Amino acid sequence: MPSVLPLGDPAPSDGLLPAQAAAGAADRAFGLYVHIPFCAVRCGYCDFNTYTATELGGGASQDAYAGTAVSEVDLAARVLTASGLPDRPLSTVFFGGGTPTLLPAEDLALILRAAISTWGIEDGAEVTTEANPDSVTPESLAVLKAAGFTRVSFGMQSAVPHVLKVLDRTHSPARVPQVVRWAREAGLAVSLDLIYGTPGESLDDWRLSLETALSYEPDHISAYALIVEDGTKLAAQIRRGQVPGIDDDDHAAKYELADQLITAAGLGWYEVSNWARTPEQACRHNLAYWRGDDWWGIGPGAHSHVGGVRWWNVKHPTAYAGRLGQGVSPAAGRETLDAETRNVERVMLAARLSGGLRIDSLGDAGRRQVAGLIADSLVEPTAAFRGTLVLTLKGRLLADAVVRRILPD
Amino acid sequence: MSPMARTAPVPAATDPAIIRNFCIIAHIDHGKSTLADRMLQYTGVVQSRDMKAQYLDRMDIERERGITIKSQAVRMPWERDGVSYALNMIDTPGHVDFTYEVSRSLAACEGAVLLVDAAQGIEAQTLANLYLAMENNLTIIPVLNKIDLPAAQPEKYAAELASLIGGDPEDVLRVSGKTGAGVEALLDKIVHDLPAPQGDPNAPARAMIFDSVYDTYRGVVTYVRVVDGMLHPRERIQMMSTRATHELLEIGVSSPEPTPSKGLGVGEVGYLITGVKDVRQSKVGDTVTNLAKPASESLPGYADAKPMVFSGLYPLDGADYPVLRDALEKLMLNDAALVYEPETSAALGFGFRVGFLGLLHLEITRERLEREYNLALISTAPNVEYEVTLEDKKVVQVTNPSEYPTGKVAEVREPMVSATILAPNEFVGAIMELCQSRRGVLGGMDYLSEDRVEIRYRLPLAEIVFDFFDILKSKTRGYGSLDWKADGEQAADLVKVDIMLQGEQVDAFSAITHRDKAYAYGVMMTGKLRELIPRQQFEVPIQAAIGSRIIARESIRAIRKDVLAKCYGGDITRKRKLLEKQKEGKKRMKMVGTVEVPQEAFIAALTTDESKDKAKKK
Ligand SMILES: Nc1nc2c(ncn2[C@@H]2O[C@H](COP(=O)(O)OP(=O)(O)OP(=O)(O)O)[C@@H](O)[C@H]2O)c(=O)[nH]1
Ligand SMILES: C[S@@+](CC[C@H](N)C(=O)[O-])C[C@H]1O[C@@H](n2cnc3c(N)ncnc32)[C@H](O)[C@@H]1O
Ligand code: SF4
Ligand SMILES: [Mg+2]
């Protein structure tokens, strides 16, 4: 979760949702996100809502965290029922961070079991955890598998030591194949996260990272362009000229290389930054975000969405635990989207998916743009002839510009 | 020393023999307004507790910049040898852009206090304004100011002044507007040295209009100096040039607040209110007479201020066009030197081509429009007026480069100025080099004293009106001063340089330059635009051309990446806010063909370093 919370309306202390949230809920999938706000060290580029033990003044809050998270699960169940939502089994669960695997696997298992016993879970549901290569063992992975996890996403980022160093990553490259093998042996599907465009990374460095990651035959790859976020150590280093800045052309070249190599290895893109070995292995939890399904986000700073109502929890783990300790909703703010805003979000998110966007769902002005987008090689002509707007490789690199063109002014 | 007058002479009943009309003239910043403050105080028209520095500089802009823009006339009583006199003092501006204000003030006076900063000595506008005063046959009282300054060199500059106007250095008064030293003696000297106004009290009334100001509450306030006869409230007056008649609703003197009177007689200076709403109906330089008993001959007027520099003014938000139009109309009521007409730009939309007296005038006008009317404006690069003769003998006046005719051009003429530069002699070489590089022709050179020279050049206006003064200042370590006045025109090898984006001409960036400088302009502008225009989805060539000949080119490479490629998890709100911000940014773009050009790029490209803030002095 990015660490700066949006500005929104105040959320009520009982957490109750406005009436609009329940409408049509039976037709939407329901997922759970669990935020684990702890890391061993903070990486210089990262602005996620996460804290090291020293920042929180000792490990106490980590020990108590699973219990606090379970109390939000209880609160979530009460609020949803009281707000008129039907009982729905979980279709996806995602533990993210921070570094979920910094907590004992038993703690993650405890939270997952509480959630399953509260809502139930669909057959074949996807249950993912993010993990740092440093923080898993064959034993911990076995515990996760036994609790119901199906998938693990490792923050590999790069295979090149000098790049990992600029990123402040602590793991050694050799650790990655090891943890991938352990996860496989435990029966978990594997995804690898990569970052490209790190200052000092050459195109060959990136090629090496890609080839290395692909050689581990992951089921899924996410490749993110390094974003320099305000207030991070990396931003300060670039400002002071200690490391070179970011170059968009370099990003573009590396994205093209990523798509070329990953596709050649047999994976297919399904979202701008994500590739899966088979369509079934796409991350269904993330797809639910992008398709506007419902989910509850547990944890400090976590975001939730139910039927056009978005809300987010207080950021700091102490404030979060304090609220739940008093039986008060940890929601800090929320927004109730009107039809127009929902449409903007739908277009903005769906345009990035390989499944694309129904052209007839666009407004007149947006539809009139399609021919020009084809002429500019930004959308696939054949898909467009069949009524769907799907981005080309060039279009994916210019996805924000495409979205601005097809949205109403 | 004379005491403050016990009784002030009453307007309309004042013998011309006890009237003294004078203005204070000087180079910019030599302390005119500060000296005027002391006079207001010592004559008792402003109480000490009400006093504030540069009391007569009333406009916000005048106060912020510490300069006088408009002349102000004030009537003050002063007693000498038991006689109460009526002094009419006019504080004038020192900046060269406002020289026309000085010349009309002079016409209302018999004498001028020529003020010279005792730490700076004679400067270019000292000479220019002195010249104007002598041309008007005024009696000059030379005065050194700021003698309280440790750096003052009164002996040296008294000698310089005396040799300039003739007379004895001992006769040069020494004052300090700051401490008040010598100011009472100066008031005495004004009474003693200046002639009383002459005029025929029984002749038909004739009053010269020397200023005309629009006031929201009172309509147009017309400032006059009565030459012959008398004007009374409620009578009908006539403007001699237009024959328009008005009823005199109010007549009075500024002291310094407007004070109604029973009339104004020979030699008196005061104001008239007729209820008209447009300063143009009360034209500066015109003669006012009495309709019942009209004069047959008007007083010699003076030429209208002529705009020298033109610039397009456009509202950033096209919807503000009507606001700008109304605002210009109102400003014009107060500033007869301002001329404008509507124009359209393919790049900037609807706006106005406005003529100004100089860059400071432009800057002040723009600032007032933005501040007083809450407008955000783009002003195009300023240019002078050209006269283009085509081969078919047709003649076109060009105040906007985009109006430059496309047909076969036989000749282009540009306005010229004669410039006077004063500086310590060690800088002569640097100054000549600068003037030569600006196509100047040396007119002559004189030593004012051992180490101060006056250099005269004839130069194209376009070469001096923008950055010349700043460069002169830096080449003379601040010691050089400049004055210039219009001096005809000349034919020159001038060309129009166009700037094209993606092959499409952007009218706002066209410029008329000397052929030798066209290339430099082209390189500068294309380079600037390459930096300022964000990358587009396609490559954008930027070219500078004279006619169809390309003289400089740059290109903006196509953007390859415009996508947020990071995992945001469930924080969709943040992503949407980002998109909204991007869309806002897109709204502030102006389309040039298919190229999106941010408004900031227009502003930055059109903001020459010269016009940035340099005309400001503080
Ligand atoms: N020390 C000292 N400073 C003075 C004196 N008279 C004026 N000044 C300062 O000189 C500066 C210019 O004074 P002004 O009275 O505004 O000069 P001005 O000639 O009216 O200027 P313009 O109207 O812009 O031409 C101000 O900072 C004054 O405070 C003086 O007698 N002694
Ligand atoms: C929130 S992190 C959690 C996973 C785990 N803590 C780790 O770092 O491996 C999820 C992914 O976001 C990506 N990420 C974090 N900060 C980023 C940034 N500034 N720019 C691009 N990607 C970033 C990284 O690839 C990271 O693996
Ligand atoms: S380990 Fe992951 S969440 Fe933690 S600081 Fe690094 S990138 Fe951020
Ligand atoms: Mg002044």
Side-chain angles (χ1 to χ4, degrees):
Chain A
M1 295 291 111
S3 66
V4 181
L5 293 180
L7 286 171
D9 307 326
S13 63
D14 57 10
L16 274 187
L17 302 176
Q20 132 174 12
D27 302 331
R28 293 190 301 267
F30 177 57
L32 188 71
Y33 173 74
V34 182
H35 188 67
I36 311 290
F38 310 114
C39 285
V41 290
R42 164 159 319 248
C43 308
Y45 59 90
C46 178
D47 77 336
F48 282 80
N49 190 31
T50 183
Y51 304 82
T52 61
T54 29
E55 282 171 349
L56 290 175
S61 58
Q62 287 188 25
D63 298 342
Y65 187 74
T68 311
V70 169
S71 66
E72 193 185 353
V73 170
D74 295 341
L75 177 122
R78 284 199 307 275
V79 166
L80 288 173
T81 306
S83 302
L85 279 118
D87 286 340
R88 288 175 293 175
L90 296 166
S91 53
T92 63
V93 182
F94 195 101
F95 282 57
T99 307
T101 47
L102 202 62
L103 291 188
E106 287 75 15
D107 283 7
L108 304 183
L110 178 85
I111 302 169
L112 178 59
R113 283 199 203 96
I116 293 174
S117 74
T118 303
W119 287 294
I121 191 160
E122 285 176 0
D123 280 350
E126 175 196 279
V127 183
T128 307
T129 184
E130 290 182 335
N132 279 28
D134 280 336
S135 60
V136 295
T137 61
E139 295 72 31
S140 69
L141 290 164
V143 171
L144 294 178
K145 172 71 184 174
F149 282 87
T150 63
R151 192 172 174 271
V152 58
S153 164
F154 289 113
M156 170 177 168
Q157 319 306 4
S158 170
V160 181
H162 75 87
V163 174
L164 289 171
K165 186 149 185 282
V166 172
L167 292 176
D168 285 338
R169 301 299 293 195
T170 51
H171 67 264
S172 83
R175 177 89 178 166
V176 178
Q178 210 172 10
V179 298
V180 170
R181 200 173 61 245
W182 293 341
R184 283 267 158 63
E185 285 165 4
L188 295 162
V190 171
S191 175
L192 297 175
D193 278 359
L194 295 173
I195 289 183
Y196 57 89
T198 300
E201 180 193 60
S202 69
L203 195 60
D204 282 337
D205 289 337
W206 174 233
R207 184 189 306 276
L208 182 66
S209 292
L210 283 165
E211 284 169 348
T212 307
L214 289 166
S215 73
Y216 307 146
E217 299 183 347
D219 305 295
H220 182 280
I221 286 188
S222 302
Y224 301 117
L226 182 69
I227 309 283
V228 180
E229 299 287 358
D230 287 348
T232 57
K233 178 177 136 198
L234 178 70
Q237 287 171 322
I238 292 176
R239 200 173 56 242
R240 293 192 215 107
Q242 291 161 341
V243 298
I246 299 293
D247 174 24
D248 277 353
D249 288 352
D250 173 62
H251 276 181
K254 286 174 178 167
Y255 181 79
E256 283 165 3
L257 182 64
D259 188 63
Q260 183 197 333
L261 295 186
I262 298 172
T263 311
L267 291 80
W269 82 278
Y270 69 96
E271 194 269 350
V272 168
S273 306
N274 290 280
W275 292 259
R277 194 161 292 280
T278 65
E280 294 70 41
Q281 282 166 315
C283 178
R284 275 148 48 204
H285 185 81
N286 281 336
L287 281 171
Y289 289 163
W290 301 325
R291 287 177 179 155
D293 282 338
D294 291 351
W295 75 89
W296 190 289
I298 301 281
H303 285 249
S304 304
H305 170 254
V306 175
V309 183
R310 298 196 182 280
W311 72 94
W312 44 88
N313 286 348
V314 291
K315 234 184 85 178
H316 200 276
T318 312
Y320 169 76
R323 291 260 195 125
L324 283 167
Q326 293 167 4
V328 172
S329 158
R334 75 177 182 198
E335 54 180 6
T336 305
L337 309 175
D338 57 18
E340 193 186 321
T341 313
R342 287 178 89 160
N343 182 52
V344 167
E345 289 189 349
R346 181 185 65 84
V347 171
M348 166 184 96
L349 297 167
R352 297 166 65 103
L353 302 176
S354 64
L357 187 63
R358 292 294 309 166
I359 290 172
D360 58 17
S361 74
L362 295 174
D364 281 351
R367 280 204 300 275
R368 258 183 265 119
Q369 291 293 324
V370 175
L373 292 170
I374 294 172
D376 293 344
S377 318
L378 297 171
V379 309
E380 296 283 1
T382 41
F385 300 151
R386 280 184 259 109
T388 309
L389 183 141
V390 177
L391 297 176
T392 59
L393 176 58
K394 184 180 172 197
R396 280 183 261 153
L397 273 166
L398 296 170
D400 289 2
V402 172
V403 167
R404 291 195 299 273
R405 273 168 75 172
I406 56 179
L407 274 179
D409 279 324
Chain B
M1 278 301 130
S2 305
M4 199 182 277
R6 277 170 301 239
T7 54
V10 181
T14 306
D15 179 354
I18 58 161
I19 296 176
R20 299 291 182 271
N21 295 322
F22 69 98
C23 50
I24 312 177
I25 55 174
H27 191 75
I28 190 164
D29 252 355
H30 279 206
K32 298 174 289 297
S33 301
T34 307
L35 174 64
D37 288 348
R38 295 293 82 72
M39 292 185 169
L40 294 176
Q41 207 176 340
Y42 294 172
T43 58
V45 298
V46 175
Q47 299 303 311
S48 294
R49 68 184 136 80
D50 298 328
M51 199 63 216
K52 55 177 187 242
Q54 288 93 37
Y55 188 91
L56 297 175
D57 289 347
R58 296 188 173 187
M59 279 192 268
D60 286 349
I61 289 195
E62 293 184 312
R63 301 208 63 79
E64 273 164 30
R65 295 183 176 225
I67 59 172
T68 304
I69 293 169
K70 280 206 83 77
S71 293
Q72 293 286 341
V74 184
R75 177 171 172 132
M76 313 178 293
W78 188 247
E79 195 171 302
R80 189 173 193 263
D81 302 331
V83 181
S84 260
Y85 291 85
L87 310 187
N88 288 305
M89 177 256 291
I90 304 182
D91 177 25
T92 65
H95 192 278
V96 62
D97 274 15
F98 305 112
T99 302
Y100 78 103
E101 285 273 337
V102 180
S103 41
R104 43 200 228 194
S105 306
L106 294 170
C109 302
E110 280 74 40
V113 170
L114 177 69
L115 204 61
V116 172
D117 185 328
Q120 303 289 330
I122 293 167
E123 302 199 66
Q125 264 98 47
T126 317
L127 294 180
N129 291 330
L130 170 61
Y131 174 81
L132 290 173
M134 305 222 285
E135 234 186 0
N136 278 269
N137 293 319
L138 300 199
T139 304
I140 310 292
I141 301 181
V143 177
L144 287 175
N145 187 30
K146 307 199 191 179
I147 53 160
D148 60 292
L149 286 178
Q153 295 177 273
E155 271 73 38
K156 179 176 172 193
Y157 294 128
E160 260 186 47
L161 257 175
S163 79
L164 190 67
I165 52 180
D168 196 319
E170 301 303 300
D171 292 339
V172 177
L173 276 190
R174 299 176 186 190
V175 306
S176 166
K178 187 175 171 191
T179 66
V183 174
E184 294 185 329
L186 172 58
L187 288 164
D188 281 350
K189 196 173 165 71
I190 288 168
V191 168
H192 181 262
D193 287 9
L194 298 191
Q198 309 277 315
D200 181 351
N202 302 314
R206 290 200 299 173
M208 154 78 104
I209 301 180
F210 67 90
D211 201 2
S212 188
V213 172
Y214 180 77
D215 179 302
T216 334
Y217 303 105
R218 303 187 297 166
V220 172
V221 182
T222 302
Y223 291 88
V224 295
R225 148 77 195 260
V226 178
V227 174
D228 292 324
M230 179 107 176
L231 292 172
H232 300 98
R234 309 245 66 99
E235 66 191 16
R236 278 202 88 77
I237 53 164
Q238 184 169 47
M239 302 295 166
M240 291 190 69
S241 72
T242 59
R243 302 269 147 214
T245 68
H246 306 287
E247 186 181 335
L248 253 190
L249 301 178
E250 185 183 318
I251 185 164
V253 297
S254 308
S255 224
E257 306 317 321
T259 314
S261 74
K262 294 212 167 80
L264 289 175
V266 168
E268 288 190 296
V269 173
Y271 66 87
L272 315 176
I273 292 175
T274 60
V276 304
K277 290 270 180 272
D278 182 353
V279 284
R280 257 148 277 259
Q281 289 179 273
S282 231
K283 234 171 93 0
V284 169
D286 203 350
T287 303
V288 179
T289 192
N290 188 319
L291 182 63
K293 188 184 162 194
S296 52
E297 221 177 297
S298 54
L299 298 162
Y302 27 76
D304 285 345
K306 191 171 168 294
M308 293 294 201
V309 179
F310 297 81
S311 167
L313 286 187
Y314 292 85
L316 264 189
D317 180 351
D320 280 343
Y321 177 78
V323 183
L324 175 59
R325 189 189 49 215
D326 293 351
L328 276 170
E329 231 164 66
K330 292 220 181 74
L331 266 198
M332 196 165 165
L333 292 181
N334 229 326
D335 184 352
L338 197 67
V339 298
Y340 64 89
E341 58 186 43
E343 81 175 7
T344 46
S345 154
L348 302 175
F350 290 100
F352 294 91
R353 176 107 323 220
V354 187
F356 303 95
L357 300 164
L359 277 200
L360 180 66
H361 189 213
L362 185 165
E363 212 189 298
I364 280 171
T365 306
R366 186 189 152 154
E367 203 175 309
R368 290 187 62 186
L369 287 169
E370 296 202 312
R371 187 189 313 200
E372 294 169 26
Y373 302 91
N374 203 11
L375 285 161
L377 298 174
I378 299 183
S379 54
T380 63
N383 59 270
V384 303
E385 181 172 16
Y386 298 94
E387 186 185 283
V388 182
T389 309
L390 297 171
E391 282 187 349
D392 62 10
K393 296 280 178 280
K394 229 175 81 195
V395 179
V396 188
Q397 291 308 125
V398 175
T399 56
N400 176 351
S402 70
E403 290 164 0
Y404 193 87
T406 42
K408 278 237 180 279
V409 170
E411 187 187 66
V412 187
R413 297 181 74 77
E414 62 177 337
M416 300 295 289
V417 301
S418 52
T420 307
I421 296 165
L422 258 60
N425 57 0
E426 57 187 293
F427 300 115
V428 168
I431 293 169
M432 291 178 64
E433 205 179 323
L434 171 64
C435 291
Q436 235 90 59
S437 76
R438 299 305 181 95
R439 301 189 280 133
V441 176
L442 183 64
M445 193 160 100
D446 284 310
Y447 276 79
L448 292 180
S449 64
E450 250 169 43
D451 56 353
R452 265 173 106 72
V453 278
E454 177 190 299
I455 310 172
R456 292 181 298 278
Y457 264 93
R458 188 161 191 261
L459 291 144
L461 173 63
E463 296 282 354
I464 66 147
V465 82
F466 306 121
D467 59 349
F468 184 84
F469 184 58
D470 295 312
I471 296 176
L472 176 71
K473 275 277 177 205
S474 75
K475 284 201 189 284
T476 58
R477 276 191 262 117
Y479 288 111
S481 62
L482 167 74
D483 183 63
W484 54 266
K485 59 174 195 286
D487 184 15
E489 49 188 50
Q490 75 171 15
D493 190 7
L494 298 167
V495 292
K496 179 188 174 214
V497 183
D498 291 318
I499 303 291
M500 289 170 300
L501 280 186
Q502 209 35 358
E504 186 125 355
Q505 189 186 315
V506 190
D507 54 8
F509 297 139
S510 293
I512 296 171
T513 69
H514 192 263
R515 189 178 297 277
D516 294 348
K517 290 175 183 170
Y519 174 72
Y521 176 80
V523 168
M524 183 275 294
M525 200 43 127
T526 51
K528 229 175 180 181
L529 290 174
R530 197 195 55 167
E531 296 304 316
L532 290 168
I533 298 175
R535 295 166 66 182
Q536 317 272 318
Q537 281 172 34
F538 38 82
E539 177 169 329
V540 180
I542 311 173
Q543 296 161 309
I546 300 174
S548 56
R549 192 165 59 86
I550 305 296
I551 57 168
R553 69 178 84 225
E554 288 278 359
S555 108
I556 304 172
R557 282 176 305 138
I559 190 171
R560 291 179 60 199
K561 177 186 174 240
D562 182 358
V563 61
L564 196 65
K566 180 188 167 185
C567 165
Y568 271 99
D571 189 357
I572 309 296
T573 307
R574 165 148 144 163
K575 215 169 145 25
R576 194 188 73 239
K577 295 253 149 95
L578 218 87
L579 172 72
E580 283 162 4
K581 216 170 118 191
Q582 291 175 348
K583 285 196 71 111
E584 262 320 295
K586 190 174 159 183
K587 275 197 198 131
R588 278 185 287 113
M589 299 279 183
K590 296 239 182 207
M591 297 301 291
V592 174
T594 51
V595 184
E596 292 177 353
V597 183
Q599 245 140 26
E600 298 76 55
F602 271 105
I603 299 172
L606 293 171
T607 312
T608 42
D609 296 331
E610 307 86 81
S611 68
K612 234 179 232 159
D613 272 347
K614 297 286 179 63
K616 262 183 223 175
K617 36 171 241 186
K618 286 174 190 160

